[in-house]
Amino acid sequence: MSLDAHKKSSGNGNGVVMSTQVAHRLRLNPITDHKPDSYEDLQSDFSPLLFSSLERYLPPSMLNMSREAKIQFMRDILVRYSPEGERTRIQKHREYRQKIISNYQPLHRELYTMNAVNFFVPSFLKAINENTEESFRSILVEPTPGVYVFEMLQPSFCEMLMSEVENFERWVHETKFRIMRPNTMNKYGAVLDDFGLETVLDKWMDEYIRPMSKGFHVDDSEVTLNVCLGKQFYGGELFFRGVRCDKHVNSETQPEEILDYVHVPGRAVLHRGRHRHGARATTSGHRCNLILWCRSSVFRELKKYQKDFSSWCGECRRERRERQRLSITATKLELLKRNGISAS
Ligand SMILES: O=C(O)CCC(=O)C(=O)O
Ligand SMILES: [Fe+2]
């Protein structure tokens, strides 16, 4: 795909519209060894990272222009391609977070910066430091293909995080602040990123979850980490029913795809977003889980161009095997028939 940018001059006094089209085309492929300018200090409705990524696609004639000229050019493109509604939403969300962060007093400041030794259990840290598939295998179980369960959090960390969340909820209630819940089905969840934990949770993702996902080749999809924090409860099991692509999302479950997982505080479950799953009702007590969605925009983009999902969709794989079985049977029959004919 290529993006075009056109600059048009505005109409002149005679009512004649002069159109000077500067049709600079972006490159199809980025110049990977080009070192883009830093846009960190840029006050804009687009992320500075977006500018530095886009710079690699600029036409060669533009690369040596001033930073200001490049910003102007890239902003024109971004404005053209990102819908107004989306930009307003992003701006509103930024203001919402700012309002929380400048008014909410954290209870445990130590949660807001990474302190791996206090957060994670030693076995998990050891596996992360070794960073091999073997070291990850040694700390986890895979109760059904693609679902990984391992001990992750220190009990003291779980306690601290739960009391911080209770503190948010108290603040929300006292100040009558209207907060956004994680999704429309979730009345009791709090979005930790909105309360200032984004930086530390991004670290969790980059330094702890991604290496594991890579080890098990689930990094090309959307991965969920679900860790139970406590407290005491019955019910609330996490159930799994096989990985599916969009087309097969309602197809039958095979017996080996059924898993009902019972949460244990401190223990983590890592699974693909495409793994059909759900949570049963908590029948008594109080259950608190930390859920981290690691989304991959590359995976989402690639999915648009793929037709065959048999590398990960259980039903596509079953259909492919069935086709192979039928074709082998047909070939055998054909051979038998030929032999029969020549023998007669
Ligand atoms: O624990 C829950 O309530 C939701 C779990 C879930 O949807 C997940 O792990 O992806
Ligand atoms: Fe989920």
Side-chain angles (χ1 to χ4, degrees):
M1 185 187 69
S2 74
L3 304 175
D4 288 317
H6 302 288
K7 276 197 188 129
K8 282 190 180 151
S9 72
S10 53
N12 65 17
N14 303 327
V16 179
V17 175
M18 270 173 39
S19 170
T20 50
Q21 297 217 342
V22 188
H24 286 310
R25 263 175 183 277
L26 288 176
R27 310 169 65 95
L28 270 178
N29 299 306
I31 318 174
T32 44
D33 57 2
H34 171 71
K35 200 175 168 328
D37 263 318
S38 163
Y39 297 95
E40 282 304 319
D41 57 321
L42 193 64
Q43 292 295 323
S44 161
D45 31 359
F46 301 105
S47 143
L49 279 176
L50 199 50
F51 283 92
S52 32
S53 304
L54 191 56
E55 186 174 320
R56 293 205 164 94
Y57 290 86
L58 289 182
S61 58
M62 290 210 65
L63 284 182
N64 297 325
M65 288 192 178
S66 71
R67 195 176 93 122
E68 266 42 55
K70 287 187 288 191
I71 291 174
Q72 179 63 39
F73 180 78
M74 290 192 280
R75 241 197 76 80
D76 278 355
I77 295 176
L78 292 171
V79 166
R80 213 171 278 268
Y81 285 91
S82 103
E84 175 78 28
E86 180 62 9
R87 290 206 307 276
T88 318
R89 192 190 62 75
I90 293 170
Q91 181 57 26
K92 285 235 162 74
H93 196 242
R94 194 173 295 156
E95 286 164 15
Y96 162 81
R97 274 193 184 177
Q98 206 46 53
K99 220 157 139 187
I100 297 180
I101 289 163
S102 45
N103 290 291
Y104 172 71
Q105 287 290 328
L107 183 65
H108 298 291
R109 293 221 173 253
E110 58 267 53
L111 289 172
Y112 292 74
T113 41
M114 181 55 95
N115 185 338
V117 175
N118 288 355
F119 292 3
F120 306 119
V121 295
S123 56
F124 176 71
L125 282 177
K126 186 165 173 278
I128 292 288
N129 286 334
E130 287 175 18
N131 196 18
T132 61
E133 181 163 343
E134 202 183 358
S135 65
F136 294 129
R137 285 266 169 220
S138 73
I139 59 158
L140 58 77
V141 289
E142 190 176 357
T144 188
V147 175
Y148 304 98
V149 177
F150 52 95
E151 297 297 332
M152 186 180 186
L153 298 178
Q154 297 275 7
S156 55
F157 175 84
C158 295
E159 287 288 326
M160 213 188 268
L161 188 55
M162 280 190 298
S163 64
E164 187 70 43
V165 173
E166 280 163 19
N167 194 53
F168 302 155
E169 293 294 343
R170 228 178 354 255
W171 175 79
V172 167
H173 185 77
E174 281 164 11
T175 57
K176 300 200 168 48
F177 196 93
R178 278 172 56 101
I179 59 163
M180 298 181 196
R181 298 295 176 184
N183 56 44
T184 50
M185 294 175 306
N186 194 319
K187 267 204 315 223
Y188 306 107
V191 179
L192 303 188
D193 280 352
D194 293 345
F195 282 85
L197 286 157
E198 188 179 25
T199 314
V200 74
L201 292 176
D202 279 351
K203 270 209 152 76
W204 279 50
M205 213 147 68
D206 285 341
E207 293 169 22
Y208 298 87
I209 308 310
R210 220 178 291 278
M212 260 191 140
S213 310
K214 258 198 159 66
F216 297 106
H217 314 288
V218 288
D219 59 320
D220 60 345
S221 71
E222 320 225 333
V223 178
T224 302
L225 176 84
N226 181 339
V227 205
C228 183
L229 301 174
K231 301 178 175 176
Q232 299 215 329
F233 55 87
Y234 284 103
E237 297 87 1
L238 186 59
F239 60 89
F240 291 93
R241 298 294 182 261
V243 184
R244 294 291 185 274
C245 66
D246 290 336
K247 185 174 138 207
H248 294 130
V249 78
N250 292 318
S251 76
E252 231 176 279
T253 307
Q254 303 303 316
E256 66 277 12
E257 293 177 318
I258 296 179
L259 171 70
D260 281 46
Y261 170 80
V262 177
H263 284 295
V264 175
R267 205 170 277 179
V269 184
L270 190 69
H271 64 86
R272 281 186 168 94
R274 305 293 323 186
H275 210 131
R276 297 183 298 181
H277 68 279
R280 296 199 193 289
T282 304
T283 48
S284 72
H286 187 83
R287 177 174 70 88
C288 191
N289 283 53
L290 170 69
I291 294 172
L292 231 82
W293 286 310
C294 313
R295 297 212 174 102
S296 155
S297 50
V298 175
F299 179 71
R300 238 170 300 151
E301 274 305 305
L302 283 177
K303 207 157 63 84
K304 290 186 195 156
Y305 306 102
Q306 271 180 349
K307 294 235 162 19
D308 176 53
F309 304 108
S310 53
S311 66
W312 52 272
C313 167
E315 187 63 16
C316 284
R317 189 162 46 231
R318 210 186 54 76
E319 284 182 358
R320 194 185 58 186
R321 287 203 185 124
E322 187 59 19
R323 279 196 302 275
Q324 283 169 344
R325 202 183 58 77
L326 288 174
S327 111
I328 290 171
T329 314
T331 313
K332 273 188 188 155
L333 272 175
E334 182 62 26
L335 284 172
L336 277 175
K337 222 162 71 188
R338 271 194 221 162
N339 286 342
I341 289 164
S342 58
S344 64

